[in-house]
Amino acid sequence: MAERSASLTINAEAPIELPVYPASVGPAVLDVGALTRQGYFTYDPGFVSTASCDSAITYIDGDEGILLHRGYPIEQLAEQSGHLELCYLLLHDRLPRPAELRDFVDSIKRHAAVDEQALNFYTGFRRDAHPMSIMCAVTAGLAALYHDAFDADDEGYRVDTAHRLIAKMPTLAAMTYRHSRGEPFVPPREDLDYAENFLHMMFAPAGGDYEVNPVLARAFDRIFLLHADHEQNASTSTVRMAGSTGANPFACIAAGIAALWGPAHGGANEAVLNMLAEIGSPDNIPKYIKRAKDRDDPFRVMGFGHRVYKNYDPRAKVMQDTCREVLAELGVDHDPTLQMAQELERIALEDEFFVERRLYPNVDFYSGIILKAIGIPVEMFTVIFVTGRTPGWIAHWKEMVSAPYKIGRPRQLYTGEDRRDYVPIDRR
Ligand code: CMC
């Protein structure tokens, strides 16, 4: 696999040869395994330059603002494909043929309902529990319902589990929302497509009719599609790490949900809306931009910046178009929050601090505004992200367990005490 090698000399020691593996596109990697045998670890807090695995699912070029799933650009997928077609693509290595897509969609519809017993999970939660804590718990709870069949070595099990998770996540998300409102759950319907069904389970009156708005359904399909995968981000790496121990995949996805919750990751869409509310008026934007630049002030412009993208996030562009479509459909194009977001974006993109650090809006900047306009409560935003990201998580779990893998076990730069003897309590 290695076509080249790098030679590392530490002080006057003999050089250490490190194989260099080429990527199909993008940076090659150095295999640093030989360093451990020589008594060194590599040091890379935040894994800024560490490739933790091989993967053929998603490629990002952060400098150019490129995102490819199995080679297909996100803009083309957003324009010409749909969320479930992308789910198939992530799970397999090619676009589905018509019959394959039909079978996949049918399977997702068949698996959308959750077991009666899972309904009881919800009764233990207060109505005001954060929806992400409920999502973590009920997803881990599915491991209890499906543990008997667990066999990560069986491709049939891997595919079934992926279908179950993709199918059930919108149902669990809608149940979480309805629980918070004290409303009865609305079961999934097989005659609706994935996004329509989600809107139906969220907003239909119990036992009554609900007409799904096609513009909003299309917007949700895009939101799910744009969030579907993003290579080795914090939550996906968490899913892989948990999966590398041989844990039940539903529990691994629950671990990913926990990692996604934070405001530096999936919680950013919620944080964007909270930030816009705090700013309050466009007149206050310069004050907040000043705060964002002050190193002694923890304030950051939420929805800006990305570990990988040092250019406009390609998902943010599509999200911006969807945002305009939704606001026009709902007749709220002059929404003050949107106007403030646009003004904040304009000022930040012209500011030297943001320009120098290549800080651009990310996917979360506009998704929160769309969700707010549709009437989704702010604390549900990250749950929508969970629903969108589940196919990516399970595709990565499936890819990992389908080939030989090692338990994820990083090392450390130890900075504590050297060996010392215990001092009995009466002599301290
Ligand atoms: N506002 C103001 N300054 C920022 C921001 C921001 N949003 N993001 C980064 N910076 C500054 C940071 O202070 C640092 O400045 P300096 O060079 O003076 O020390 C410089 O830019 C580099 O930042 P960093 O923290 O080293 O970058 P990182 O790659 O570790 O962090 C990030 C990436 C996404 C955590 C960060 O940009 C951030 O906190 N953004 C706001 C939260 C957010 O929108 N997160 C969603 C990410 S996209 C959705 C997802 O994939 O989950």
Side-chain angles (χ1 to χ4, degrees), residues 248-269:
N248 181 296
F250 291 93
C252 299
I253 300 298
I257 296 175
L260 189 77
W261 191 352
H265 193 9
N269 51 15

Side-chain angles (χ1 to χ4, degrees), residues 264-265 268 295 300-301 303-307 353 357 359 362 364:
H265 193 9
R295 283 196 165 174
R300 282 188 167 196
V301 179
F304 259 71
H306 199 274
R307 166 58 61 79
F353 176 94
R357 287 166 183 73
L359 300 170
N362 58 50
D364 289 321

Side-chain angles (χ1 to χ4, degrees), residues 79-145:
E79 195 52 45
Q80 299 174 50
S81 174
H83 179 62
L84 285 188
E85 189 176 359
L86 173 58
C87 292
Y88 184 99
L89 179 66
L90 295 175
L91 291 175
H92 305 281
D93 54 3
R94 57 175 175 79
L95 289 167
R97 298 189 186 97
E100 288 168 331
L101 183 59
R102 270 197 308 277
D103 288 350
F104 179 63
V105 170
D106 285 350
S107 170
I108 297 301
K109 285 185 176 176
R110 274 200 316 280
H111 283 109
V114 295
D115 191 286
E116 278 288 313
Q117 282 178 301
L119 309 188
N120 298 329
F121 295 163
Y122 285 83
T123 53
F125 289 100
R126 285 167 45 148
R127 300 258 178 243
D128 62 354
H130 195 288
M132 285 295 282
S133 75
I134 302 182
M135 289 299 287
C136 260
V138 298
T139 306
L142 293 183
L145 296 176

Side-chain angles (χ1 to χ4, degrees), residues 57-59 67-90 94-96 218 221-222 224-226 228-229 315 318:
I57 301 176
T58 291
Y59 171 72
L67 169 61
L68 310 176
H69 294 309
R70 305 263 185 211
Y72 299 103
I74 190 68
E75 297 86 347
Q76 289 183 21
L77 291 165
E79 195 52 45
Q80 299 174 50
S81 174
H83 179 62
L84 285 188
E85 189 176 359
L86 173 58
C87 292
Y88 184 99
L89 179 66
L90 295 175
R94 57 175 175 79
L95 289 167
R218 170 85 185 130
D221 197 73
R222 276 211 170 153
F224 292 148
L225 177 144
L226 292 174
D229 189 43
R315 301 168 302 168
V318 181

